[in-house]
Amino acid sequence: MRWCPKKCLQTVQAPSIGVTASSAQHVAREITRRLYPLHTEISQVAAQLTARKEAEARDRRAVAEALAEALPGARVQEQHRRTDVYWQRASQPQGQPGPVQVDNVRAVIGASGESVSVEVSGRPQGIVAMLAAFAEQ
């Protein structure tokens, strides 16, 4: 901690509510008159923001649940104001030896649940057909 001479401390000003205080009661009355309406307004804005965040989360969850239903075994991860859905399927052509084919889907559901971006790898034709059936629902 740095030492500060007495002269340095004199330049710091105390916060002010912008009135000349004639008494402690006057100061209390001014604080009540000026700050309580601001507190009420801030409380209302906070309640509106909370309601909006809850509605967004509810909408994202509904879309994620529907998508997870269309992709059995999908894994859903909640992030801050978005939801990720991961799905993977490993398959091999019936009766044919050969490499295992892995299909992947990653869907990102935006904050309000109205936007969904999808990344697909593997055999996209089968996955796209599944997702098209989901989109028609």
Side-chain angles (χ1 to χ4, degrees), residues 66-129:
L67 189 55
E69 193 176 298
L71 299 169
R75 184 172 39 113
V76 177
Q77 287 186 330
E78 289 285 330
Q79 304 291 330
H80 175 70
R81 298 195 72 212
R82 85 165 200 241
T83 302
D84 295 336
V85 179
Y86 300 97
W87 179 80
Q88 188 175 57
R89 174 179 67 183
S91 62
Q92 190 171 17
Q94 279 188 326
Q96 297 177 5
V100 173
Q101 179 68 41
V102 179
D103 300 327
N104 292 297
V105 174
R106 177 177 180 249
V108 178
I109 303 165
S112 64
E114 293 179 4
S115 67
V116 178
S117 64
V118 179
E119 297 172 13
V120 177
S121 66
R123 292 176 297 147
Q125 62 275 10
I127 298 170
V128 170

Side-chain angles (χ1 to χ4, degrees), residues 8-123:
C8 174
L9 296 175
Q10 293 173 353
T11 61
V12 177
Q13 294 182 357
S16 171
I17 60 171
V19 296
T20 304
S22 58
S23 70
Q25 291 171 338
H26 181 202
V27 171
R29 197 170 42 248
E30 283 301 309
I31 289 172
T32 301
R33 185 180 75 78
R34 293 179 186 201
L35 297 182
Y36 282 178
L38 290 175
H39 179 273
T40 302
E41 183 180 342
I42 290 169
S43 296
Q44 290 171 348
V45 169
Q48 290 170 350
L49 289 173
T50 299
R52 185 179 309 147
K53 282 183 179 181
E54 289 172 357
E56 285 181 353
R58 195 171 39 251
D59 292 346
R60 276 194 316 276
R61 252 184 264 115
V63 172
E65 287 171 4
L67 189 55
E69 193 176 298
L71 299 169
R75 184 172 39 113
V76 177
Q77 287 186 330
E78 289 285 330
Q79 304 291 330
H80 175 70
R81 298 195 72 212
R82 85 165 200 241
T83 302
D84 295 336
V85 179
Y86 300 97
W87 179 80
Q88 188 175 57
R89 174 179 67 183
S91 62
Q92 190 171 17
Q94 279 188 326
Q96 297 177 5
V100 173
Q101 179 68 41
V102 179
D103 300 327
N104 292 297
V105 174
R106 177 177 180 249
V108 178
I109 303 165
S112 64
E114 293 179 4
S115 67
V116 178
S117 64
V118 179
E119 297 172 13
V120 177
S121 66
R123 292 176 297 147

